[in-house]
Amino acid sequence: QVQLVESGGGLVQAGGSLKLSCAGSGRTFSNYAMGWFRQAPGKEREFVAAISWIATITRYADSVKGRCTISRDNNKNTVFLQMNSLKPEDTAVYYCVADDRIAAVVSGTSDYWGQGTQVTVSS
């Protein structure tokens, strides 16, 4: 089992920045591809970003490309999502996900999900 705990969400004005963190525990964190999904009120959950287990591969949704950067620190069992130039449409609950295959992370079929952290962007 892998346990994932997100942090770093909050309220920010449009144009601002936030950095989300996801701390993993349980099985060897560095063996897993990691990623972020988000779900806005009344909308389906959508892919945001993913990173392979040794950070050689990253993937981003078109809606965040150029504004968000995913990174990881395997020594600290943590994955990050730096979000810049935030827009009101970025408002959502952000979920950390983990899987041994990056394809599963991108497709939303990951085995492991965190509880989520709320990001609210005011206009």
Side-chain angles (χ1 to χ4, degrees):
Q1 287 286 342
V2 173
Q3 292 79 41
L4 304 171
V5 179
E6 303 95 336
S7 62
L11 174 64
V12 63
Q13 288 187 333
S17 298
L18 278 177
K19 186 172 185 177
L20 306 183
S21 300
C22 172
S25 61
R27 292 188 174 180
T28 306
F29 179 83
S30 59
N31 289 346
Y32 288 86
M34 304 293 296
W36 293 91
F37 267 69
R38 67 186 182 185
Q39 187 167 22
K43 295 188 176 180
E44 293 189 355
R45 199 171 287 185
E46 66 172 355
F47 168 74
V48 177
I51 188 167
S52 61
W53 67 285
I54 54 172
T56 54
I57 299 171
T58 56
R59 295 287 185 267
Y60 296 94
D62 289 342
S63 57
V64 304
K65 200 171 293 183
R67 299 189 298 120
C68 292
T69 302
I70 189 169
S71 61
R72 65 190 298 163
D73 184 342
N74 287 340
N75 291 326
K76 296 182 178 180
N77 290 354
T78 303
V79 64
F80 306 97
L81 184 69
Q82 176 68 48
M83 303 188 294
N84 301 322
S85 301
L86 283 162
K87 306 174 182 179
E89 51 264 44
D90 293 317
T91 295
V93 176
Y94 284 70
Y95 297 91
C96 179
V97 301
D99 199 275
D100 57 3
R101 298 174 298 119
I102 192 170
V105 172
V106 174
S107 67
T109 57
S110 301
D111 289 336
Y112 304 107
W113 293 72
Q115 294 299 307
T117 185
Q118 176 71 47
V119 171
T120 303
V121 184
S122 63
S123 57

